[in-house]
Amino acid sequence: MKRRHLAATALLTLAAAAAQAAAFQAVLLVPADDPRLGRNRLERAVLGHPAGPAADALGVALKEGKLELDAAGASLGLRTVAVADAAAARAAAAAAEQAGAAAVLTDLPAAWTVAAADGTRLPVINLYTAADSLRGADCRPNLLHIGPSERMRADAIAQTLVARNWRNVLLLVSQDAADAERGAVAAAAIQRYGLKLAGRKPFKLSADPRERDLANPALLTGTAGGGAAYDVVWVVDADGEFAINLPYRTALPRPVVGDGGLVALAWSARYGRFGAPQVTRRLSRAAGRPIGAHDWSAWLAGKALIAAAVAAPKGPASAFAQALTKATIDGSKGVAMGFRAWDGQLRQPLLLTDGQAVVATAPAEGILHPTNVLDALGADAPEKLCKAR
Amino acid sequence: MIHCHLLRRAGIAAALLAANLAHAQGVAWVSSEKDNALAIVDLKTQTVTGTVPTCQRPRHMQVTPDGKTLVVACGDAGQADVIDLATRKSLRRFQLGEGAELFDLSPDGKTLYLTNEEDAELVVFDLASGQRKSAVKVGEEPEGVKVSADGKTLYVTSEVASLVHVIDLAGGKVVKHIAVGKRPRRFALTPDGAQLWVTNELDASVSVIDTRSLSVIDTLRFAVKGARATDITPVGITMARDGKRAFVGLGKANHVAFVDVANRKVTDLVLVGKRAWGLGLDKAEKTLYVVNGMSDDLSIVDVASAKAVKTVRVGRVPHSVVVVE
């Protein structure tokens, strides 16, 4: 590849001519022995679950941002640190600041994410953890979020149901502790958008005949025993095994949404507009595997860092942090995106997909908002849910 | 369909204009990304009179300087199709490579400069032989490409890097990166070559670059009543031969802006179809043809009255239009 080599040399020469480069460093904190990346989990490939390490797509973002950084006279490096618990996350974030990093990125459970944010004054970018608590009660002034919150995803689904006029919703919520909160978020979205709750039932994964009422899709969704008719089944299942097996097993011929069937995500490899296929191709080529919403979120975090470095190429870290919160970022979803001042959440459109096609986008057509229609997804400013900002 | 409604209201105007347009000779070629074919719209009858099959996912098209052939770049096939305008038959096809996006032709018509969005390269081809000559690495997702009138300088946008790359063709090197707005897409050069206009899709703006100092001297922002800035996504741009007026397709805002080039002010906003991108003027510059990618049609705009006078259904996801008279 002599041709490429020559071209690269030309660009390097050009970069050298640029002003004295400020070298920014970012530190990515990931869980040691990440259970989400176990082989059986990856093979199950539940929509919205990670398909591989976040570092893959982050690396792509930094590589493709190099030209822009060169032109601005800055550079950006990334270091990945595995942490085993919340205390380790906190210590690693503190160490990153000590070592002169400009930002910390986290791909960690909610409690560990808060610990990391408490360990440093640097901006901490939560890549993908959707917990609403991180945008509300447990928010932090230095904590930003790329992936959508649970509430944004629930709003996207509720808006789609309104747009389709599928108004009567049967809500199935797993008995896992992780899903109690998520079930409440779904129920609140159903109420917020004027949908009707035809029923709400808990379920669990079980083959035990004694608890078949809790585990059998036909019984859970049947109406013979007096259950109300419904237009759609909304399943809340963070684990995903029950949810992905629910479509086509319902007693009535009705669609499934939520964590199975039609799912609201930050990204889908099937998205075909706004240059999305090019992004998907670049990411999957670099990672050597299929890519999904988790990868896109990691890629976008890299883009946000680049935008900040380009806006404040000479530093210092405080100017970089300022620029980051004000950055406008192009994530190939057709709009410029940025962080909400009130909870640090990236405002963005969401994609509704069954894994085969992007069926709809949210905010749904016709949904209005006084200032920015993207703020019709998730917690809005007047609610003041994040007191720390 | 708001634009249909407007068209009904403009019915009288259309009848009057029909007389004006009646003398128009020739055809508009419209590429359709999902049809693997080009639609031919008769300018006189304003109807589709035929289609010409071509390679997979045809997008950008240009007529060679000799006026005899149409070059089509196909994204999925990664091919160029050279079509004889007289017979409307493909003369030959050659490989451009996966990721072929837009192209420009050298003033002598011998060289084709292609942006390749897969490899983030500007690729140089000899048009007669179809031979790949060289390539220059640029920022990710390059799109717009424009060669200067003297054939010495080439401008390329990188959508991801939000940069315009200035390439010295003799040296085959990028000599300057110019930071412009978010997601720069396409170019127009003033006839004197002094100014390069760049549409910024996610910035609702056009950056005006001085080609001598290679710096941005002004930014023209668009506003459409009832549309938020985020819904104004300029992509397609073309300029009148005398350089007095520019036309900019505002994408999601479903309008085309007429811009006075000298004082950089929008004079008219014309309501067209959904996601108006590709633009083409007839020779007399009386009629503007606007490709609406999301409503599968072509708006025919009377320039003098700044009104869309007819909408013609073309293929699926139309991309570009070239008027041949």
Side-chain angles (χ1 to χ4, degrees):
Chain A
M1 303 304 288
K2 196 177 174 192
R3 173 173 50 78
R4 284 180 190 230
H5 177 72
L6 281 176
T9 316
L11 287 177
L12 282 176
T13 322
L14 203 72
Q20 189 66 29
F24 295 105
Q25 278 289 324
V27 175
L28 168 67
L29 306 184
V30 299
D33 300 321
D34 193 342
R36 301 172 304 168
L37 303 183
R39 197 180 69 178
N40 61 334
R41 284 253 154 215
L42 291 181
E43 282 174 353
R44 200 188 290 160
V46 177
L47 281 180
H49 289 205
D56 290 350
L58 253 166
V60 173
L62 299 193
K63 199 166 135 244
E64 63 191 36
K66 201 175 170 309
L67 266 183
E68 215 179 336
L69 288 169
D70 286 351
S75 71
L76 186 56
L78 178 76
R79 205 156 47 84
T80 304
V81 177
V83 294
D85 54 30
R90 187 185 172 120
E97 186 175 348
Q98 281 276 309
V104 174
L105 306 156
T106 60
D107 191 22
L108 301 173
W112 304 16
T113 307
V114 176
D118 285 338
T120 177
R121 287 160 301 168
L122 294 175
V124 173
I125 305 179
N126 162 32
L127 298 186
Y128 201 60
T129 302
D132 288 291
S133 59
L134 294 177
R135 286 89 170 157
D138 291 334
C139 73
R140 293 293 183 271
N142 58 337
L143 189 54
L144 300 168
H145 314 275
I146 303 284
S149 64
E150 298 290 4
R151 183 166 153 189
M152 288 170 75
R153 297 180 59 200
D155 283 344
I157 290 171
Q159 290 178 8
T160 306
L161 298 185
V162 170
R164 296 280 185 279
N165 207 14
W166 297 347
R167 295 202 171 260
N168 296 301
V169 184
L170 174 63
L171 183 61
L172 301 183
V173 182
S174 111
Q175 287 187 326
D176 287 357
D179 282 313
E181 180 95 1
R182 300 180 75 241
V185 169
I190 287 168
Q191 193 181 29
R192 192 175 310 120
Y193 284 94
L195 300 165
K196 283 204 192 90
L197 201 57
R200 176 179 175 154
K201 293 179 188 173
F203 69 83
K204 70 185 280 193
L205 277 172
S206 168
D208 184 343
R210 278 156 296 262
E211 47 185 22
R212 65 185 170 201
D213 284 353
L214 275 176
N216 181 317
L219 292 174
L220 281 163
T221 59
T223 52
Y230 50 89
D231 298 321
V232 60
V233 181
W234 186 328
V235 60
V236 176
D237 180 21
D239 169 75
E241 186 177 339
F242 179 88
I244 61 171
N245 287 296
L246 187 60
Y248 310 107
R249 288 194 170 89
T250 53
L252 299 181
R254 300 288 182 266
V256 174
V257 300
D259 290 319
L262 192 68
V263 181
L265 298 174
W267 191 252
S268 162
R270 300 306 175 101
Y271 197 40
R273 294 194 57 193
F274 306 118
Q278 282 79 48
V279 173
T280 297
R281 259 179 240 140
R282 287 206 299 277
L283 293 179
S284 59
R285 192 162 50 187
R289 57 174 170 81
I291 71 113
H294 174 254
D295 300 297
W296 178 87
S297 301
W299 177 76
L300 201 84
K303 303 260 298 176
L305 294 176
I306 290 159
V310 167
K314 294 190 171 66
S318 59
F320 178 92
Q322 269 284 325
L324 183 62
T325 56
K326 291 203 175 83
T328 53
I329 312 153
D330 170 15
S332 291
K333 292 205 271 190
V335 291
M337 302 180 289
F339 296 102
R340 289 174 181 153
W342 56 92
D343 62 0
Q345 170 69 53
L346 184 81
R347 56 165 69 83
Q348 60 187 302
L350 296 185
L351 312 179
L352 282 296
T353 179
D354 63 350
Q356 288 210 298
V358 172
V359 174
T361 59
E365 178 116 35
I367 297 284
L368 300 177
H369 185 277
T371 51
N372 187 331
V373 74
L374 292 177
D375 290 336
L377 297 175
D380 205 352
E383 297 174 54
K384 295 190 167 64
L385 296 180
C386 169
K387 312 282 188 222
R389 290 182 81 94
Chain B
M1 300 309 286
I2 300 165
H3 66 286
C4 294
H5 177 67
L6 187 92
L7 288 184
R8 273 198 296 279
R9 286 202 299 171
I12 300 163
L16 291 171
L17 289 162
N20 256 338
L21 296 169
H23 69 276
Q25 295 288 324
V27 296
W29 292 70
V30 183
S31 58
S32 292
E33 294 192 54
K34 298 222 165 173
D35 279 347
N36 308 336
L38 311 172
I40 296 177
V41 179
D42 184 276
L43 300 190
K44 194 169 175 181
T45 61
Q46 302 183 341
T47 53
V48 175
T49 53
T51 56
V52 174
T54 184
C55 35
Q56 284 167 38
R57 199 172 178 207
R59 294 193 282 193
H60 199 202
M61 301 178 291
Q62 288 213 55
V63 175
T64 47
D66 63 10
K68 289 183 179 156
T69 54
L70 180 75
V71 182
V72 186
C74 292
D76 282 355
Q79 286 182 322
D81 196 2
V82 182
I83 294 172
D84 181 4
L85 285 170
T87 63
R88 295 180 183 171
K89 294 254 186 317
S90 174
L91 295 171
R92 60 201 163 85
R93 290 181 187 178
F94 62 88
Q95 280 303 315
L96 295 174
E98 214 175 298
E101 179 88 54
L102 307 191
F103 65 93
D104 201 6
L105 300 171
S106 61
D108 62 9
K110 288 183 177 161
T111 310
L112 182 150
Y113 302 103
L114 173 89
T115 46
N116 181 310
E117 62 183 7
E118 285 287 307
D119 302 335
E121 284 178 337
L122 179 281
V123 195
V124 183
F125 290 89
D126 177 67
L127 188 55
S129 65
Q131 286 274 315
R132 181 184 160 124
K133 293 304 207 190
S134 60
V136 181
K137 200 86 188 147
V138 293
E140 291 296 336
E141 292 183 37
E143 157 129 348
V145 50
K146 193 92 189 161
V147 64
S148 62
D150 62 9
K152 289 182 179 163
T153 310
L154 195 75
Y155 307 98
V156 176
T157 59
S158 160
E159 296 179 34
V160 170
S162 295
L163 294 172
V164 170
H165 307 290
V166 183
I167 297 172
D168 167 44
L169 284 172
K173 270 190 207 163
V174 176
V175 291
K176 176 113 193 215
H177 303 297
I178 306 170
V180 290
K182 266 277 167 280
R183 214 169 180 90
R185 297 294 295 260
R186 300 186 192 167
F187 294 119
L189 266 171
T190 52
D192 60 3
Q195 289 177 13
L196 178 70
W197 288 38
V198 193
T199 51
N200 301 312
E201 187 182 13
L202 294 189
D203 197 40
S205 69
V206 160
S207 298
V208 180
I209 292 171
D210 176 81
T211 54
R212 272 176 289 267
S213 66
L214 295 180
S215 58
V216 175
I217 52 169
D218 201 1
T219 302
L220 165 67
R221 296 200 177 277
F222 296 99
V224 178
K225 205 177 170 190
R228 288 178 177 158
T230 49
D231 293 326
I232 301 170
T233 54
V235 173
I237 182 167
T238 192
M239 218 174 257
R241 270 192 308 277
D242 63 7
K244 287 189 175 154
R245 191 176 236 179
F247 304 90
V248 183
L250 299 185
K252 246 191 271 177
N254 303 342
H255 278 77
V256 171
F258 290 12
V259 183
D260 184 281
V261 172
N263 62 24
R264 298 177 199 135
K265 289 262 186 310
V266 174
T267 56
D268 301 276
L269 284 166
V270 183
L271 185 60
V272 290
K274 285 177 83 174
R275 203 193 74 183
W277 276 5
L279 305 172
L281 277 168
D282 66 348
K283 215 179 264 172
E285 299 189 331
K286 285 184 172 171
T287 313
L288 178 73
Y289 297 86
V290 183
V291 177
N292 306 310
M294 299 296 287
S295 51
D296 292 356
D297 50 22
L298 180 77
S299 296
I300 300 177
V301 174
D302 177 61
V303 173
S305 65
K307 288 228 156 37
V309 292
K310 184 159 181 184
T311 305
V312 182
R313 202 191 131 69
V314 288
R316 287 180 63 213
V317 192
H319 184 279
S320 287
V321 57
V322 165
V323 179
V324 178
E325 291 173 85

